[in-house]
Each structure stands twice: as C-alpha cells, then as structure tokens.
C-alpha cells in the first residue's frame, strides 16, 4: 500500500524537524518535504504533489490563513493546521476550519519538543484521517436572509445546498425537548450549519464536539454571533433552557441531569471515553437515561465510533435520532457507526437536518400544538 505523502510547513526549524521525525516513524506515511514559509511551500506542493500538508497558523511572508485561503480556492487538498494554545491561535484556527482545513493540532506554548512528542499519536491520527477526508473548494458566500444575525458571514460549499433557516415559531413545542449533537472531524462547521438555521425559540441544544482545552470558548462566542439562539460554553450546574445551545468545554465531559422540573448541565473531569474527552458517549448516555423520549439526537461528521452505542440507547429510550449522510460529511465514521448500531431513524444531508427535525416536532406534537 502506498504511503501517505506529507509536506510540513512551519517557520520553526525545530518544529519542522520534529514533525518530519514523527511522520517518518510511521510505517504508512512519509514526510516528502518541509518548508519554512508558504511561498516555499507553494513550489514544493506543485512539484511534489503531497497527499496532506501540515500548516502553521502564523508565519512570515504570508500567514497560514492567507495561504490556506488561496490553496483551497486553487488546489483543494487535506490540511491539518498546527496551532498555538493562545486566544489569537484559537481564533485563527477556527477561521482555518471555516476555510476548509480538516483538523488542527494545538502545539504547547512551552516545551515544544516534549509537547509535540507527547502528541505524536494525535498528530499522525489526524494526518491519516485528513488523507481520507472529503475536500471541497473554498466556500463561497451564500446570500443570508434579511435580518439574519451574522448575515453574509454564512458560507455554503459548492455542490451542497445552503441550509434553509427555520423561521416559524415553535412556541410551546420547544420547552420539553432537548436536541443533542455529537461531532468530531469536520464538526465545527457542520454544527454551525445546524445551529444557524434554528429559530430563536428552538429547543435547548447540548453539544459535544471533540476539541481540546482552550478552543471551545472562542468557538461558542463565534457561533453566538451568527445564530438566532444563544450559544455558550457549558457551565457545571446551569439550567438548560430553550433558545440556548451549550457546548462541552474542551477537555471536560458534558452530560445532563434532572432536578425537579429542570434540566441541568453537568461538566466534569474524568478519564477519556472512547479515547475522547469530551466524549459523545457520555453526553448521549445521559440523554437516554435522563431525557428519554423528549431527546432528539443528531450524529454529525467525525472519525471513529464515539457515541454510537449510546445513541442506540437513546433510540431504545424513545428518542428520535438522525445522522448526517455520507455525501455531506467530511468523514463518515461516527454517522456510519451509529447507523450500523441501529441507532438512527433518518439519514439526511446536512442542509436538511434542521428543517426535518422541526417538521418532526410539529408532526408529533398533536393538532393543538402543531398550530402554535
């Protein structure tokens, strides 16, 4: 089997050396070139035709974002960003994912050599996933409806219909239900596509997206500026309310529990589950146990099987569960496993998930509430 051919782009000679060493240690991949800046990388990519590139966020001569934007417009290919654990690094990394980067690795601010070596399994796993991921050209702006928060900021990939905002009020339909979303690789953008189409009185949404510490607060703030619902990083013990979305903090598990008539967020440390923290399995198990038939489950793009077993528990408890279809996924791992587990009632293109769920809510609410 041919090896995955990787070009490393980073202005640090130490990081270039370490990433080259880590990649070349793998039996299924090789580093075929290392460039100190995007201008050198451009020639290297043209001449060597790599399968994947790793790209530093901040570099001289042309920063990683400008280079990524040009690359995804002219020669789309799998890119894994190498970010820094800073406020600026988090913001730029989220922009890179929006532009089409498959995933990112957060290098430590100090002890870079030891830190990267400790992350070598994570780095090589993400390169493997990226080499198999679905790539789209740079997103082009899609017209936003008048009055939509963040109008003009939403993008739709060519070949994929832009999600249709759900504008009709749900009224009392939203007060008992909770929507649970699980996502991994490609999920930051897929989750955004779902949330920006929800009406302001949507049921509460609780989200586990595989992300490291230091990135979820910026991610939540970014979504909050685009959506009609309020989006925030979850806080332990807070009430889960309609019209709000709660994102698991990076490096912490998120679940729900009941206190009288209220649902509460539970944010806790603990061992990784299915190699992940936060884990979709933890969130979906609590949905099955605590929310039961009032839960709606959505499994979005991602590698692996995290959450598949728990989503089957959700369905067995009476929840309504859907999965993103293969054609609109960056990686069809988690949805495929949920489907194989018999956890899913519907498999839908990303652009149709929200509208379908809102129609389902109205159809199952009875004649009186469906007219609200």
């Amino acid at each position: 089997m041919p090896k995955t051919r990787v070009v490393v782009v980073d202005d640090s000679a130490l990081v270039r050396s370490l990433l080259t060493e880590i990649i070349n240690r793998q039996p299924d991949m090789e580093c075929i070139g290392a460039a100190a800046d995007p201008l050198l990388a451009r020639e290297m990519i043209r001449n060597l035709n790599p399968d994947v590139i790793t790209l530093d966020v901040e570099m001289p001569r042309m920063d990683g974002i400008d280079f990524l934007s040009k690359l995804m417009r002219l020669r789309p290919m799998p890119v894994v960003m190498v970010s820094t654990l800073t406020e600026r690094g988090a913001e730029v990394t989220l922009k890179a994912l929006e532009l089409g980067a498959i995933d990112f690795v957060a290098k430590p601010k100090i002890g870079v050599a030891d830190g990267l070596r400790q992350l070598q399994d994570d780095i090589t796993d993400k390169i493997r996933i990226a080499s198999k991921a679905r790539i789209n050209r740079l997103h082009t702006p899609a017209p936003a409806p008048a009055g939509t928060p963040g109008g003009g900021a939403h993008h739709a990939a060519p070949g994929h219909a832009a999600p249709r905002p759900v504008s009709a009020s749900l009224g009392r339909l939203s007060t008992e239900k909770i929507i649970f979303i699980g996502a991994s690789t490609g999920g930051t953008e897929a989750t955004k596509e779902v949330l920006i189409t929800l009406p302001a009185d949507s049921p509460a949404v609780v989200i586990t997206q595989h992300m490291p510490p230091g990135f979820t607060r910026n991610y939540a703030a970014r979504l909050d500026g685009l959506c009609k619902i309020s989006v925030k990083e979850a806080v332990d013990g807070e009430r889960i309310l309609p019209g709000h979305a709660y994102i698991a903090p990076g490096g912490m598990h998120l679940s729900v529990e009941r206190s009288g008539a209220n649902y509460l967020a539970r944010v806790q440390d603990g061992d990784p589950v299915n190699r992940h923290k936060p884990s979709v399995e933890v969130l979906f198990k609590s949905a099955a146990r605590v929310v039961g038939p009032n839960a709606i489950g959505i499994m979005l793009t991602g590698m692996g099987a995290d959450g598949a077993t728990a989503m089957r528990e959700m369905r067995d408890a009476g929840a309504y569960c859907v999965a993103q279809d293969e054609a609109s996924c960056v990686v069809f791992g988690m949805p495929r496993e949920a489907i194989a587990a018999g956890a899913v009632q519907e498999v839908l293109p990303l652009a149709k998930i929200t509208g379908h769920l809102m129609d389902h809510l109205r159809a199952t609410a009875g004649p009186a509430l469906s007219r609200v």
Side-chain angles (χ1 to χ4, degrees):
M1 180 179 291
K3 294 184 177 184
T4 298
R5 304 165 76 250
V6 185
V7 163
V8 170
V9 188
D10 200 295
D11 67 328
S12 164
L14 174 61
V15 172
R16 290 197 305 275
S17 174
L18 288 168
L19 288 176
T20 298
E21 174 190 327
I22 288 167
I23 290 164
N24 285 337
R25 236 188 257 133
Q26 306 304 307
D28 59 339
M29 61 182 69
E30 61 178 331
C31 180
I32 59 171
D37 64 54
L39 299 183
L40 294 172
R42 185 171 57 191
E43 294 304 312
M44 201 170 283
I45 291 167
R46 184 180 296 134
N47 295 329
L48 299 177
N49 194 29
D51 301 308
V52 178
I53 70 169
T54 70
L55 179 60
D56 191 13
V57 166
E58 295 176 326
M59 288 179 295
R61 299 179 72 186
M62 178 191 294
D63 71 32
I65 291 298
D66 287 343
F67 179 65
L68 179 66
S69 174
K70 290 180 172 63
L71 183 70
M72 297 309 288
R73 189 163 52 244
L74 302 173
R75 193 190 185 285
M77 65 182 303
V79 177
V80 176
M81 302 301 293
V82 179
S83 181
T84 51
L85 282 171
T86 63
E87 189 84 8
R88 161 74 179 161
E91 191 60 36
V92 174
T93 300
L94 292 171
K95 178 63 177 175
L97 295 173
E98 188 176 275
L99 288 171
I102 300 300
D103 211 334
F104 68 95
V105 176
K107 62 185 176 185
K109 286 181 285 188
I110 56 175
V112 172
D114 289 340
L116 281 177
R117 289 193 179 100
Q118 289 172 11
L119 290 170
Q120 63 182 342
D121 290 344
D122 193 33
I123 293 165
T124 52
D125 281 351
K126 289 183 177 185
I127 291 172
R128 287 187 187 96
I129 292 167
S131 71
K132 298 175 176 64
R134 185 180 301 273
I135 306 299
N136 289 309
R137 286 186 180 273
L138 177 61
H139 297 180
T140 52
T148 300
H154 170 232
H155 300 130
H160 296 277
R164 172 176 55 89
V166 178
S167 57
S169 173
L170 291 174
R172 286 174 290 161
L173 290 175
S174 67
T175 58
E176 295 180 354
K177 301 288 185 177
I178 299 181
I179 297 170
F180 293 85
I181 296 177
S184 186
T185 312
T188 54
E189 288 303 293
T191 297
K192 181 181 81 173
E193 300 292 342
V194 171
L195 295 187
I196 62 175
T197 57
L198 290 172
D201 59 353
S202 162
V205 185
V206 188
I207 302 157
T208 288
Q209 160 73 46
H210 294 160
M211 266 184 138
F215 289 85
T216 43
R217 185 169 299 171
N218 293 71
Y219 178 52
R222 196 177 186 91
L223 291 176
D224 189 57
L226 294 171
C227 298
K228 293 180 181 177
I229 62 173
S230 297
V231 185
K232 66 188 299 292
E233 191 179 58
V235 175
D236 187 50
E238 70 181 322
R239 283 183 63 196
I240 295 173
L241 300 170
H244 292 70
Y246 306 86
I247 297 174
M252 301 290 281
H253 290 305
L254 175 61
S255 57
V256 297
E257 63 181 39
R258 188 151 192 163
S259 176
N262 298 318
Y263 291 110
L264 304 179
R266 180 60 64 208
V267 176
Q268 294 175 306
D269 202 351
D271 294 332
V273 176
N274 297 330
R275 295 180 59 201
H276 296 289
K277 188 171 71 168
S279 166
V280 180
E281 193 80 6
V282 171
L283 179 62
F284 281 11
K285 275 184 175 293
S286 73
R289 183 178 66 251
V290 176
V291 186
N294 282 325
I296 294 171
I298 305 175
M299 189 71 84
L300 297 177
T301 174
M303 189 69 180
D306 187 29
T309 301
M311 189 175 232
R312 179 56 196 254
E313 292 178 18
M314 288 178 67
R315 182 173 181 178
D316 289 345
Y320 185 71
C321 299
V322 304
Q324 185 178 351
D325 73 353
E326 183 171 8
S328 63
C329 279
V330 172
V331 179
F332 190 53
M334 286 163 54
R336 180 194 289 115
E337 294 299 324
I339 294 163
V344 174
Q345 281 103 323
E346 298 285 347
V347 180
L348 299 165
L350 178 61
K352 295 186 176 180
I353 287 176
T354 302
H356 179 86
L357 291 183
M358 299 303 106
D359 290 343
H360 172 78
L361 277 173
R362 294 188 179 91
T364 56
L369 279 182
S370 64
R371 290 193 298 269
V372 170

